[in-house]
Amino acid sequence: MTNPARAVQEFRLPDLGEGLTEADWVHWAVAVGDRVELNQVIGEVETAKATVELPSPYAGTIEELLVEPGQTVPVGAPLLRIATEDGPAEPAGDSGGPSRPSVLVGYGPGDAPQSRRATRRASADAGRARDGDPPPARPDAKPGARKLAALLEVDLDTVTGTGRGGVITRDDVRRTAGHGDEPTAGHGDEPTAERPHSPAPEPSPERTTRLPVGGVRKRAAEAVSRSAFTAPHASVFLTCDATATVDLVSTLRASPAFEGVRPTALSIVSRALLHAIADEPSLNAHWDDDTGEIVLHHDVHLGIATATSDGLKVPVVREAQRLSLPRLARSIAEVADRARTGRSTPSELTGSTVSVTNVGVFGVDGGTPILNPGESAILAVGAISDRPWVVDGALAIRKVVTLSLSFDHRLVDGEQAGRALATIGAFLGDPVPMLLADT
């Protein structure tokens, strides 16, 4: 009987798309000696945009892992070596060579990757299964929590997760490491008559924790710094009556057209922003540094600023101007949920042409948001709250909101920004006629 040819294949970090040149390795889902199948997830990387699972382009046995969790890996760098029984083969999605497909991650031919939980469980337990040992359950933790646990040398098996479904969060790791609670001052140590001149105790060393910055948070910091110091920012503010918008949202939630969708005030604000852009297209543009030209976009790719456990992400609703209000509301909810749960791909977090951020969910009245690089405007929506308001000459309690529009003064003048913000305010004050004009 002839033994099959055996070869050791080297898997390199593939081109993740959208101009990304490096990624931070989050964790391995396999170990040396594990048997892996084609397209089985072998680990996760965190890019500037998202956490991405990498599937194996080979079936075989893991011989060597070449990177460590937390390490920044450039595209094309070797990740691991796999012993196969099929002889040499060109891995799908390999980072080199002219035949590389333009895909996010290189999947093998004809197969979809196994489910996230199934592949992690199978890959972590493959080696133990060969020896007949029962596979232990692998702690379910967010990528950021795994990185922090490695830094603080915390065994995730000892951490109790308080996230949804028992997922371990970074706060859980800090608490287990002893960084969640500060010691309280003691009592009963005042000088007594027998110790009238006791020297003051030496000050305790400052308690600090240093956290490495990488992935989404590192690139976000670089992006806002670049934007703040390259685009001349200016902002305009408007406080307006949004009572009609709040009433409309309540009505829409009972409408059959919005079945399965939970419309919010942000849906109406986003539609109002699209109306403003139709009148002031410079809000949907960018400054080309190479040519010194203003580039107007004909499609509005709406960025939805979303707070996540890994930092701020901006998922994109493509061609938002073409969507009906129900589809817009559904799209906003879907892209935000994917970003919060770490399921967004880099391409889903790239390419916005204008953005909206809802700081009101944190109880904040307003702010001056920093532009996303490559955009000329971002709208911030404050908290909608009951405030005294003059209506027809009489004082009344109304639902009031403060809007702030930051813009790149190279592309947008104060007059254009002011008119755009007034359009948005008028929409929120009486949204029904403008929405009917869309149909």
Side-chain angles (χ1 to χ4, degrees), residues 405-429:
L405 182 68
S406 291
F407 56 94
D408 185 338
H409 221 321
R410 296 174 298 180
L411 294 81
V412 183
D413 295 332
E415 178 186 5
Q416 296 168 302
R419 281 201 302 258
L421 199 57
T423 296
I424 296 170
F427 194 112
L428 299 185

Side-chain angles (χ1 to χ4, degrees), residues 29-350:
V30 295
V32 173
D34 285 357
R35 170 75 186 181
V36 296
E37 302 300 330
L38 182 68
N39 286 332
Q40 179 178 320
V41 172
I42 58 173
E44 287 184 344
V45 293
E46 186 178 23
T47 72
K49 300 296 181 181
T51 300
V52 180
E53 294 180 330
L54 290 184
S56 173
Y58 307 107
T61 303
I62 303 296
E63 288 228 332
E64 187 176 4
L65 304 180
L66 303 175
V67 297
E68 297 290 337
Q71 181 178 340
T72 299
V73 184
V75 168
L79 300 174
L80 81 167
R81 295 189 177 97
I82 302 177
T84 70
E85 296 179 351
D86 300 326
E90 181 69 20
D94 182 74
S95 61
S99 61
R100 182 191 65 210
S102 57
V103 295
L104 170 66
V105 173
Y107 291 105
D111 294 317
Q114 300 176 27
S115 70
R116 183 185 184 112
R117 291 184 183 272
T119 53
R120 285 182 176 174
R121 227 177 262 121
S123 58
D125 302 337
R128 302 183 185 91
R130 288 194 301 268
D131 299 328
D133 295 331
R138 182 174 182 272
D140 193 0
K142 291 180 175 293
R146 293 191 182 280
K147 292 172 62 177
L148 182 59
L151 173 71
L152 299 180
E153 298 182 347
V154 171
D155 184 354
L156 287 175
D157 287 326
T158 67
V159 181
T160 301
T162 61
R164 182 179 298 179
V167 172
I168 297 172
T169 67
R170 284 182 289 193
D171 286 341
D172 298 329
V173 174
R174 293 191 188 98
R175 187 162 45 250
T176 302
H179 296 291
D181 300 310
E182 293 296 329
T184 57
H187 298 284
D189 290 334
E190 295 81 2
T192 62
E194 290 74 24
R195 299 186 301 164
H197 302 295
S198 298
E202 291 292 330
S204 301
E206 184 181 0
R207 291 170 55 86
T208 62
T209 300
R210 293 182 179 270
L211 303 178
V213 179
V216 174
R217 192 171 298 278
K218 177 181 179 181
R219 274 58 174 204
E222 293 171 348
V224 296
S225 298
R226 185 169 65 254
S227 176
F229 291 104
T230 56
H233 282 56
S235 299
V236 289
F237 301 85
L238 176 67
T239 300
C240 59
D241 183 356
T243 305
T245 290
V246 174
D247 292 342
L248 176 62
V249 169
S250 298
T251 301
L252 295 179
R253 288 178 178 174
S255 169
F258 287 84
E259 185 177 357
V261 182
R262 183 175 174 81
T264 64
L266 183 62
S267 311
I268 310 300
V269 171
S270 298
R271 174 60 69 192
L273 176 59
L274 295 172
H275 267 258
I277 289 172
D279 294 332
E280 302 293 344
S282 60
L283 298 181
N284 191 50
H286 78 268
W287 182 273
D288 190 326
D289 288 316
D290 295 331
T291 64
E293 296 175 324
I294 294 175
V295 180
L296 296 176
H297 302 288
H298 298 292
D299 289 319
V300 181
H301 302 313
L302 183 63
I304 308 296
T306 305
T308 77
S309 60
D310 296 321
L312 182 68
K313 297 180 181 179
V314 186
V316 183
V317 176
R318 307 285 175 186
E319 299 183 9
Q321 84 282 0
R322 300 179 184 272
L323 303 180
S324 64
L325 184 59
R327 290 181 61 196
L328 179 63
R330 185 186 300 276
S331 296
I332 289 173
E334 287 176 350
V335 300
D337 181 67
R338 286 179 62 81
R340 279 191 291 266
T341 56
R343 294 179 291 122
S344 300
T345 65
S347 61
E348 293 172 333
L349 299 169
T350 304

